[in-house]
Amino acid sequence: MTVRREVLHQMGDMIRAEGLVKRYKAVEALRGLDLAVPEGTVLALLGPNGAGKTTAVRCLTTLLVPDEGYAEVAGIDVVRDPQQARRHLGLSGQYAAVDEHLTGYENLTMVGRLYGMGKKQAQARARELLDRFDLADAGDRPSKTYSGGMRRRLDLAGALVAAPPVLVLDEPTTGLDVRARQQMWDVIRELVAGGATLLLTTQYLEEADKLADDIIVIDHGQAIAQGSADDLKSQSGGERVEVVVAEAGDVEAVRAVVARVAAGEVQVDERTVTAGVHDGVADLRQVLEGLEADRLRVLDVGLRRPTLDDVFLTLTGRVADDGAEADQTNQEVPA
């Protein structure tokens, strides 16, 4: 196994899992999951609640022991040597793990001391991270006074106290407003630019699209697709013509115009008419000419690429945030 670890690490993968299986009584939360995250890149695990994302994270970060399979971080077997693996890991879970009664500064100092830092070193690192995460002005306030976005940034700062080369972020922006989510994305980009390797789980398709070098779509504990955002979008077909009709009574007439160039079924959602096309610009021009010839008023018309929402719907037959039951790990976590 030592030789295997060395070979895998030389290949440049800072996180690797092969055939991970985790069962909870009659439920298989993971069904042979494989993944690899090269050094200095971001891999997004994308899927609905209950897909197995959090179970995978907990197996990779030594919080759960898989029933079958192999996993390593920085070339270290997470089952055989969990303590050594933890020295290379920073984890930020779904819920901010901060002590509400301590200040931000005290929270980070405490984490540093738990990592074995001396008092002065831990205090200096705490101030450094408060500055880095735009929390310096609030650093001496109890964290219970922080907004949701501030608490998430403080939690991520805690994961970075020991400057780990590998970060695992489990749905880091869940529950944040748009502004706080954008701030968190900026922090993540900065970390990766600094050389960190990141495994990110998310329900937000836009988040995976913007941040990830590679994406694995997971459903029912299995990877059902993998590739870059562009690769996955190509699996949902090519470009699409989309027309938003001004008058509801004109929908059928607009559908007929779009059908002349459609590569498949024409879809109608209230006043929006959409169809895949073979020759994007030329087909769009033909639709525009048809709308003008038939004197049909529209509010918007354009050529669209598939989104990751389209990808997930194509692959699973459902949307990514459909409210499926939560991961089994929420019910059974070892002490």
Side-chain angles (χ1 to χ4, degrees):
M1 186 64 71
T2 300
V3 173
R4 184 186 187 203
R5 287 203 304 264
E6 288 176 354
V7 170
L8 290 173
H9 189 51
Q10 287 170 5
M11 292 169 62
D13 291 331
M14 291 295 283
I15 306 174
R16 178 175 285 267
E18 298 176 0
L20 285 187
V21 173
K22 185 63 185 177
R23 303 181 186 92
Y24 298 94
K25 297 181 180 178
V27 177
E28 269 193 315
L30 293 179
R31 303 178 181 182
L33 180 66
D34 298 332
L35 61 84
V37 192
E39 186 173 2
T41 67
V42 180
L43 172 68
L45 278 183
L46 178 65
N49 285 331
K53 302 187 303 295
T54 294
T55 301
V57 162
R58 288 178 173 171
C59 287
L60 289 166
T61 57
T62 77
L63 298 178
L64 287 175
V65 177
D67 295 311
E68 298 177 26
Y70 171 83
E72 66 171 28
V73 171
I76 302 163
D77 188 318
V78 301
V79 174
R80 293 193 174 194
D81 198 353
Q83 289 187 337
Q84 183 66 16
R86 289 174 197 142
R87 294 189 178 98
H88 296 79
L89 276 167
L91 170 64
S92 179
Q94 291 186 27
Y95 307 100
V98 299
D99 188 323
E100 293 187 346
H101 300 289
L102 298 180
T103 66
Y105 169 71
E106 290 167 341
N107 266 282
L108 297 182
T109 300
M110 177 182 65
V111 172
R113 296 289 281 161
L114 290 173
Y115 270 109
M117 293 181 179
K119 183 177 180 180
K120 289 185 177 180
Q121 182 186 7
Q123 291 173 336
R125 181 64 171 159
R127 291 299 183 194
E128 176 188 344
L129 288 169
L130 289 170
D131 285 335
R132 183 175 186 181
F133 285 85
D134 196 25
L135 292 170
D137 291 343
D140 295 317
R141 283 168 31 201
S143 60
K144 64 182 178 182
T145 67
Y146 288 12
S147 68
M150 293 168 69
R151 287 168 61 87
R152 292 301 291 171
R153 295 205 303 277
L154 181 62
D155 184 60
L156 183 53
L160 296 177
V161 167
V166 177
L167 290 171
V168 179
L169 307 184
D170 191 12
E171 301 194 13
T173 63
T174 295
L176 299 186
D177 59 29
V178 174
R179 181 174 178 273
R181 185 171 297 140
Q182 292 283 352
Q183 288 177 332
M184 186 64 75
W185 290 353
D186 290 341
V187 169
I188 290 171
R189 290 189 184 100
E190 179 185 344
L191 294 172
V192 176
T197 301
L198 175 63
L199 175 65
L200 168 75
T201 77
T202 182
Q203 296 179 62
Y204 297 116
L205 297 149
E206 182 187 9
E207 188 160 87
D209 202 353
K210 289 184 178 295
L211 296 177
D213 299 292
D214 198 21
I215 299 169
I216 292 179
V217 181
I218 182 173
D219 196 27
H220 299 295
Q222 294 178 305
I224 58 175
Q226 181 172 1
S228 68
D230 287 339
D231 291 338
L232 293 176
K233 288 174 185 179
S234 69
Q235 296 182 28
S236 293
E239 296 170 310
R240 303 171 184 211
V241 167
E242 182 178 282
V243 182
V244 180
V245 183
E247 302 292 339
D250 290 337
V251 166
E252 287 305 316
V254 171
R255 181 209 286 264
V257 170
V258 173
R260 298 169 197 165
V261 301
E265 181 182 356
V266 179
Q267 298 178 340
V268 177
D269 181 8
E270 296 183 351
R271 291 189 296 168
T272 301
V273 180
T274 308
V277 294
H278 291 298
D279 191 351
V281 174
D283 290 335
L284 176 61
R285 185 181 301 114
Q286 188 173 335
V287 167
L288 291 170
E289 291 170 352
L291 294 172
E292 184 177 3
D294 293 348
R295 296 184 178 181
L296 296 169
R297 292 181 57 247
V298 300
L299 298 177
D300 187 31
V301 60
L303 196 62
R304 316 287 190 228
R305 294 194 64 211
T307 66
L308 285 179
D309 295 89
D310 300 322
V311 171
F312 201 88
L313 186 59
T314 298
L315 292 170
T316 69
R318 56 197 172 116
V319 296
D321 57 351
D322 66 350
E325 67 179 275
D327 276 335
Q328 295 295 319
T329 49
N330 291 333
Q331 301 175 25
E332 300 185 37
V333 180

